[in-house]
Amino acid sequence: MFPDSGTVAGPPAATAVFTTVLTEGPVSRVALARRLGLSSAAVTKAARPLIDLGYLHELAATERTGPGAGRPASPLAVRAERAFFLGVKITADALIGVVCDLRAQVHASARRPLTDPDVEAVLIEVGRLVDDLFGAFPGDRTRVRRLGLALSGDIDRTTGLVRYSPFLHWRDVPLGRLAAQRTGLTVTVENDVKALTAAEHWFGEGVGAESFALVTVGTGIGCGLVVNGRLVSGSYGVAGEIGHLTVDGAGPDCHCGGRGCVESIAGTDAIVARAREHTGRPELTIDEAVALARGGHERVRAVFTRAGTAIGCGIAAVANLVGPTRIVVSGEGLAAYDLFDSHIRTSFERQAFGAAARCPLSIRPLPFEEWARGAAAVSIQSLVVP
Amino acid sequence: MFPDSGTVAGPPAATAVFTTVLTEGPVSRVALARRLGLSSAAVTKAARPLIDLGYLHELAATERTGPGAGRPASPLAVRAERAFFLGVKITADALIGVVCDLRAQVHASARRPLTDPDVEAVLIEVGRLVDDLFGAFPGDRTRVRRLGLALSGDIDRTTGLVRYSPFLHWRDVPLGRLAAQRTGLTVTVENDVKALTAAEHWFGEGVGAESFALVTVGTGIGCGLVVNGRLVSGSYGVAGEIGHLTVDGAGPDCHCGGRGCVESIAGTDAIVARAREHTGRPELTIDEAVALARGGHERVRAVFTRAGTAIGCGIAAVANLVGPTRIVVSGEGLAAYDLFDSHIRTSFERQAFGAAARCPLSIRPLPFEEWARGAAAVSIQSLVVP
């Protein structure tokens, strides 16, 4: 993070208490002690500075509900508006930004077009978007101190370095440092799929799940994996590359050098290319392909069927190898949700091995603001676990 | 484990100290403290009862070597012969057993044929094999108190229950309890691939690896995964099912209900079936198929090529999704190693995404005694981490 400003992180017990209250809602000290294997005294000691700083507070007796309310339990809760976080998703042609509170609820959003992938040009637009977000934010601006940036590619979150961004054509850009200089905020940079996984893990469908997978469908087909409560990052920096699993040995060559990869069949570019072949219309766009398929064009429809089947095989591979508790499937590609959904499910069910088929799939479209919220979630994590 | 006899396990610090010294060899107290985040006093306190019980000892100054030997470091080492462990692999037609010391070194081995898959018949043979192993073991028999059993299928290690064994046609057999009654030993039961993974993780190529995968090739194609130091078990009991990843959407139907699974192309039964088709010899065995391929029979050779390619795609899927530090490929199927090796590697290298291709593959054949050693390794683990 740049600059390396203060965090609320203290000893491990304090981090564990804060993380649990933050992600799982109001929790009594007794439940915290049991859950974290700490003594009641240790929980009280860990919570004290977080209460003093205003991040946590004790719910009053009248706010408590449910059975057993007769005994004073003093549940601890997060003051969501104690701090706010900017999150920005960088795509090839736009910046999408949000302002979130400590519980990742969105309070404002803004967008700016991006016409130039040059580093300096992107930084200028990031600065302007930050101004727009401050302008749109109705709350106390002094409580906004952190900015999360998310983009696809090979990112080193620890150093804020963009090692490689294929769509911006960047290599080894110290984006964290540069954006911190530009905005004066504490900046965190993360791969966009990992950022979205962080948001689901801490604030979405992954809360409380021992393991969890998020699959994104769009230009790329990506996957974030949480196993035993930790994001899988891969010993060589590669993990969750569901887009490059072979599902058809006789399938098309992929840009990665492989053959029959999920992405070479189900990525947006692949779908468009295949639809162009089948229609003889070399200028066909993805929106037009979707419209043709919805209108009943059999061969274009079959392109989506094949894509959904490939995605389902890839998801089944995740379930068979890693066995997550649940899988969320999302991404801008699912704007054409109706064309994919049943084929993803059918293929998943066929290929999931035995009890792995019991893994629930949530298939839902996802606006770009959700990606921006993922960037904010990583910024929230950086406050808690530096 | 049955019966639930005493273990050396104590507080978490003692378990951590013992596990580290056991798996990583002699380690100084200073290195242990640093490695485990403990104070020197805590390391000394944790080690004391393990030394008193004879499991650990301090190496004398004359035994130390290497730089820095001038400062008295008192490295701790395991007394490997303090305890011995029986390990038995159960296959469809044989029991293979070994006697291992605390560091999983084999001191004796024995085999018995298995002609009847009935539970009682198998238990009788397990009892006889245990007698054979005691007979063959040259050491102090009173130090052999534990037995590990490993077999393929759905096993609940915690309760010693064989939920399902396809090749023995067992369902819900409390093998741990029954074998403990029969032998008087403390018994642990584990899935054979997980047991082999445990052996590699604690005593083989997986030592010190943050993450690690073991792929087994034979009648089934299996995989054990260690991520962040822990075996991945799957939320629904399914994990590491590399054999049921689709690698050829137009491939053969698989017994699992899927299509084009790795196992439907590269499992021993699939190879034999395909070789029979290509030779018109309905009685052809796997050994004959191997001989034909080695002798230059083009179509039978192509069956092995296709199998190796499918295995390589499956291994690449593991690397792309999970990113292990290293991958060991083994199993009885690799008796035909020469027919597979280059195709596994070529296909892995083509399909591994980016830096994932840097993951080293160790491809090596594996005698059944290694599986039995895996069973013993699980028994060793049960002594340390009950």
Side-chain angles (χ1 to χ4, degrees):
Chain A
M1 288 162 297
F2 301 89
D4 190 16
S5 74
T7 71
V8 301
T15 302
V17 165
F18 192 33
T19 306
T20 305
V21 176
L22 179 59
T23 59
E24 302 185 14
V27 193
S28 73
R29 286 182 164 85
V30 173
L32 277 167
R34 197 170 43 226
R35 177 95 158 59
L36 302 172
L38 297 170
S39 68
S40 287
V43 169
T44 296
K45 187 180 167 196
R48 175 59 48 208
L50 294 165
I51 293 171
D52 291 346
L53 288 167
Y55 287 97
L56 296 185
H57 65 129
E58 287 180 54
L59 291 188
T62 49
E63 294 180 54
R64 283 183 289 123
T65 56
R71 188 159 162 267
S74 313
L76 291 170
V78 161
R79 282 198 196 276
E81 308 209 348
R82 172 62 181 79
F84 292 87
F85 302 82
L86 305 183
V88 174
K89 154 87 167 175
I90 305 174
T91 75
D93 54 13
L95 300 178
I96 301 95
V98 294
V99 187
C100 289
D101 63 28
L102 197 44
R103 301 202 60 174
Q105 295 300 303
V106 175
H107 290 244
S109 67
R111 289 186 176 216
R112 288 196 78 87
L114 204 59
T115 50
D116 182 352
D118 179 71
V119 175
E120 180 58 23
V122 171
L123 284 166
I124 290 170
E125 290 302 325
V126 166
R128 287 176 180 156
L129 182 68
V130 166
D131 292 340
D132 293 349
L133 288 167
F134 272 108
F137 176 54
D140 176 354
R141 294 179 198 181
T142 66
R143 295 193 172 181
V144 186
R145 306 284 293 278
R146 286 170 183 265
L147 164 65
L149 299 172
L151 67 167
S152 73
D154 183 0
I155 315 290
D156 184 346
R157 174 170 168 171
T158 316
T159 61
L161 183 71
V162 177
R163 285 206 203 91
Y164 178 50
S165 162
F167 70 94
L168 293 173
H169 313 290
W170 288 3
R171 280 193 189 273
D172 295 325
V173 173
L175 181 63
R177 183 165 56 76
L178 297 173
Q181 285 165 356
R182 176 79 47 173
T183 62
L185 299 166
T186 298
V187 177
T188 315
V189 187
E190 180 57 290
N191 167 277
D192 55 353
V193 177
K194 289 183 178 167
L196 201 54
T197 306
E200 287 290 335
H201 181 207
W202 276 39
F203 305 107
E205 295 200 41
V207 172
E210 180 186 288
S211 59
F212 167 73
L214 173 83
V215 175
T216 61
V217 177
T219 307
I221 316 276
C223 175
L225 282 172
V226 170
V227 175
N228 295 329
R230 285 173 61 183
L231 188 72
V232 177
S233 54
S235 292
Y236 303 93
V238 174
E241 285 293 350
I242 191 177
H244 299 285
L245 306 185
T246 304
V247 292
D248 184 354
D253 287 341
C254 182
H255 62 85
C256 75
R259 194 178 303 147
C261 297
V262 174
E263 196 165 299
S264 75
I265 297 165
T268 304
D269 291 350
I271 290 174
V272 170
R274 228 57 33 83
R276 286 175 178 173
E277 287 168 23
H278 289 313
T279 55
R281 292 169 52 182
E283 306 291 322
L284 195 79
T285 66
I286 182 68
D287 291 341
E288 289 165 345
V290 168
L292 283 174
R294 284 182 180 150
H297 190 298
E298 283 305 323
R299 297 188 70 187
V300 175
R301 229 183 144 75
V303 171
F304 285 94
T305 301
R306 189 180 175 202
T309 302
I311 295 167
C313 284
I315 295 171
V318 172
N320 291 350
L321 282 181
V322 179
T325 309
R326 57 190 307 121
I327 300 176
V328 173
V329 189
S330 201
E332 74 276 12
L334 288 183
Y337 175 80
D338 51 308
L339 297 171
F340 282 123
D341 179 47
S342 69
H343 307 296
I344 292 176
R345 289 186 190 278
T346 303
S347 150
F348 171 77
E349 282 159 18
R350 193 189 67 215
Q351 288 305 140
F353 185 72
R358 281 160 42 201
C359 177
L361 296 191
S362 301
I363 307 181
R364 52 183 164 84
L366 181 86
F368 273 117
E369 277 68 19
E370 285 293 307
W371 290 95
R373 183 170 168 263
V378 171
S379 181
I380 295 170
Q381 290 187 329
S382 77
L383 175 79
V384 180
V385 189
Chain B
M1 289 162 297
F2 302 88
D4 190 16
S5 76
T7 71
V8 301
T15 302
V17 165
F18 192 33
T19 306
T20 305
V21 176
L22 179 59
T23 59
E24 301 185 16
V27 192
S28 73
R29 286 183 164 84
V30 173
L32 277 168
R34 196 171 43 227
R35 177 96 158 59
L36 302 173
L38 297 170
S39 67
S40 288
V43 169
T44 296
K45 187 180 167 197
R48 176 59 49 207
L50 295 165
I51 293 172
D52 291 346
L53 288 167
Y55 285 97
L56 297 184
H57 66 129
E58 287 179 51
L59 292 187
T62 49
E63 294 179 54
R64 283 182 288 125
T65 57
R71 188 159 162 268
S74 313
L76 291 169
V78 161
R79 281 198 196 276
E81 309 208 348
R82 172 62 181 78
F84 292 88
F85 302 81
L86 305 183
V88 174
K89 154 88 167 173
I90 305 174
T91 76
D93 53 12
L95 301 177
I96 301 97
V98 295
V99 187
C100 289
D101 64 27
L102 198 44
R103 299 203 61 175
Q105 295 301 302
V106 175
H107 290 245
S109 66
R111 288 186 177 217
R112 289 196 79 87
L114 204 58
T115 50
D116 182 352
D118 178 72
V119 175
E120 181 57 25
V122 171
L123 283 166
I124 289 171
E125 290 303 325
V126 166
R128 288 177 180 155
L129 182 68
V130 166
D131 291 342
D132 294 349
L133 289 167
F134 271 108
F137 177 54
D140 177 356
R141 295 180 198 180
T142 66
R143 294 194 171 180
V144 187
R145 305 285 292 278
R146 285 170 184 266
L147 165 65
L149 299 173
L151 67 166
S152 73
D154 183 0
I155 315 290
D156 184 346
R157 175 171 169 172
T158 316
T159 61
L161 182 72
V162 178
R163 285 206 204 93
Y164 178 50
S165 161
F167 70 93
L168 292 173
H169 312 290
W170 289 2
R171 280 194 188 274
D172 295 325
V173 173
L175 182 62
R177 182 165 57 74
L178 297 172
Q181 285 166 357
R182 175 80 45 174
T183 62
L185 299 167
T186 300
V187 176
T188 316
V189 187
E190 181 57 290
N191 168 276
D192 56 352
V193 177
K194 288 183 178 166
L196 201 55
T197 306
E200 287 290 334
H201 181 207
W202 276 39
F203 305 108
E205 295 200 44
V207 172
E210 181 186 288
S211 60
F212 167 73
L214 173 83
V215 175
T216 61
V217 177
T219 308
I221 316 276
C223 175
L225 282 172
V226 171
V227 175
N228 295 330
R230 285 173 62 183
L231 188 73
V232 177
S233 54
S235 292
Y236 303 93
V238 174
E241 285 292 349
I242 190 177
H244 300 285
L245 305 187
T246 305
V247 291
D248 184 353
D253 286 341
C254 182
H255 63 83
C256 76
R259 194 179 303 147
C261 297
V262 174
E263 196 165 299
S264 75
I265 297 165
T268 304
D269 291 349
I271 290 174
V272 170
R274 229 56 34 83
R276 287 175 178 172
E277 288 167 21
H278 288 313
T279 55
R281 290 169 53 183
E283 306 290 324
L284 196 78
T285 65
I286 182 67
D287 291 342
E288 289 164 346
V290 168
L292 283 174
R294 284 182 179 149
H297 190 298
E298 283 306 323
R299 297 187 69 187
V300 174
R301 231 184 143 74
V303 171
F304 285 93
T305 301
R306 188 180 176 204
T309 302
I311 295 166
C313 284
I315 295 170
V318 173
N320 291 350
L321 281 180
V322 179
T325 309
R326 56 190 308 122
I327 300 177
V328 173
V329 189
S330 201
E332 75 275 12
L334 287 184
Y337 174 80
D338 51 309
L339 298 172
F340 282 124
D341 179 47
S342 68
H343 307 296
I344 292 176
R345 288 186 191 280
T346 303
S347 147
F348 171 77
E349 282 159 18
R350 193 190 66 216
Q351 287 305 140
F353 185 72
R358 281 159 45 200
C359 176
L361 297 191
S362 301
I363 306 182
R364 52 183 163 84
L366 181 87
F368 274 118
E369 277 69 19
E370 285 292 308
W371 290 95
R373 183 171 167 261
V378 172
S379 182
I380 296 169
Q381 290 188 329
S382 77
L383 175 79
V384 180
V385 189

